[in-house]
Each structure stands twice: as structure tokens, then as C-alpha cells.
Amino acid sequence: MSLATITAAALPPQAYAHSTDHDVQLTANPANWRAIRNIGRGWVKPFGGGLWTSPVLGTRADGTPTDSAWLEWRRTNLEADTSEALLTEVWPVGSARLLLIDDQAHLAAIVDTYPADDGSRYPDWEALTTDGWDGVYLTDRGQWATRLPRSGPDLYGWDLESCLWLRPSYVVGRTVCSSARSEAGAA
């Protein structure tokens, strides 16, 4: 089975949500990149390193992001106040090699091609990186299809449409304060 991919041009606009104490420019510099590491048996996410982005859900008139899927998830599921979160635009470089997970079969193909060496049904994240993959894009449809499948590998814990950048194959754009409305803490 071949691996499903998505082109850099087809990737929906992405934003990295963060606090003021994190300089996203550092992660775009290969000299500062923290490599992805496998975490061990039975855990779906890699350990440390990489960069997680999510689709932009709203923009200002000048095109800068005002909201992202991650901030929406935090407001909805954690009742978090995201009104002071920063959003940084992230665009893949044109040559970025991105895997696509839009259904259970896509994830199964990744696991079959890059099986974890501990026997678990998760990808070997380090092997993906070594083989030149730049990121893994999980669509909303893919997130639901891989959340708690009847059998096979799962991505339970990714929680939302997102892109895990395995290597710094992206360009960092403007950083702005989110203007997404937050109900958290409202009386």
C-alpha cells in the first residue's frame, strides 16, 4: 500500500499557538531544532521536539490569523481563556514532504511502512524523519476515523485536525495576539 500525501500548496493555512515566552522563530532555524524521538511502547505521540500547528479558523482583513483549531479545542474542551494567546503563521516550503491521514487506512499504511520497534501499533516517528518526511497532517475526518477504531492503529490523543512537523521545513510568518472570543472566566 502506498502512503497518502498532501502537497505543500494543498495544506490548509496553519498557525502555531503559543505564549509570549516561546519564540517560534527559533524552531524554524535548523540549528535550534529539537528532533522528534519515539516515546516508547503504547504512546501515540512522539516525545519532545517537532512543532504542532493547526488550521487557521479566522483571519483579520490583512490575512493574519485570529483563531486556530487548537485554540478552539482549548476553549471548548478545557474552558481555557485563549484571548491572550499568540498565533504565528506557518507555511510549508514548496518541497515539503507531508504525509496525509484522512482515514484509518492512511494511518495503517504509515504504521506498516514505519512500524515502531517496540511492537506497538504506532509509527516509528524517528524513522519517518530519517527517511525525509517533513510532517504528518491529520485531517478532522482522519482524527475521528483514527480516534478509537474497532481494530488497528489509533491516534487517540491527537484530539483535533493538526500538523506535526517532523523537521523544520516551513517558513514562519507574522505573530499576532489572538482575537478569538473566550468565554472562560466570564461571570
Side-chain angles (χ1 to χ4, degrees):
M1 173 180 269
S2 65
L3 299 176
T5 61
I6 185 170
T7 65
L11 185 70
Q14 298 288 299
Y16 172 60
H18 56 97
S19 61
T20 57
D21 63 346
H22 187 260
D23 181 1
V24 73
Q25 296 287 346
L26 292 175
T27 66
N29 179 342
N32 297 319
W33 185 257
R34 291 183 314 142
I36 291 285
R37 294 191 333 231
N38 295 325
I39 197 168
R41 186 167 181 77
W43 185 244
V44 65
K45 294 180 181 180
F47 181 74
L51 182 74
W52 292 87
T53 61
S54 64
V56 171
L57 297 182
T59 59
R60 292 184 174 89
D62 67 358
T64 57
T66 58
D67 199 10
S68 73
W70 171 243
L71 294 182
E72 178 183 77
W73 188 90
R74 289 188 63 221
R75 286 190 304 274
T76 302
N77 295 283
L78 303 177
E79 297 181 3
D81 180 0
T82 62
S83 61
E84 297 299 316
L86 298 177
L87 289 171
T88 299
E89 302 166 306
V90 173
W91 299 286
V93 296
S95 61
R97 294 182 65 216
L98 303 170
L99 290 167
L100 173 69
I101 301 174
D102 192 46
D103 60 32
Q104 179 70 25
H106 292 165
L107 175 60
I110 294 170
V111 171
D112 289 346
T113 306
Y114 297 96
D117 60 8
D118 63 8
S120 63
R121 293 286 295 160
Y122 299 108
D124 182 332
W125 302 107
E126 293 173 24
L128 283 165
T129 304
T130 300
D131 208 19
W133 291 104
D134 296 307
V136 178
Y137 179 59
L138 177 68
T139 66
D140 187 57
R141 179 175 172 247
Q143 188 274 139
W144 289 108
T146 63
R147 189 174 183 85
L148 290 172
R150 294 186 190 273
S151 64
D154 70 85
L155 289 179
Y156 184 74
W158 277 41
D159 297 326
L160 65 137
E161 183 171 352
S162 55
C163 186
L164 169 59
W165 295 93
L166 304 171
R167 302 181 332 155
S169 298
Y170 53 82
V171 176
V172 172
R174 299 169 287 190
T175 297
V176 297
C177 188
S178 167
S179 61
R181 189 166 169 252
S182 182
E183 299 296 326

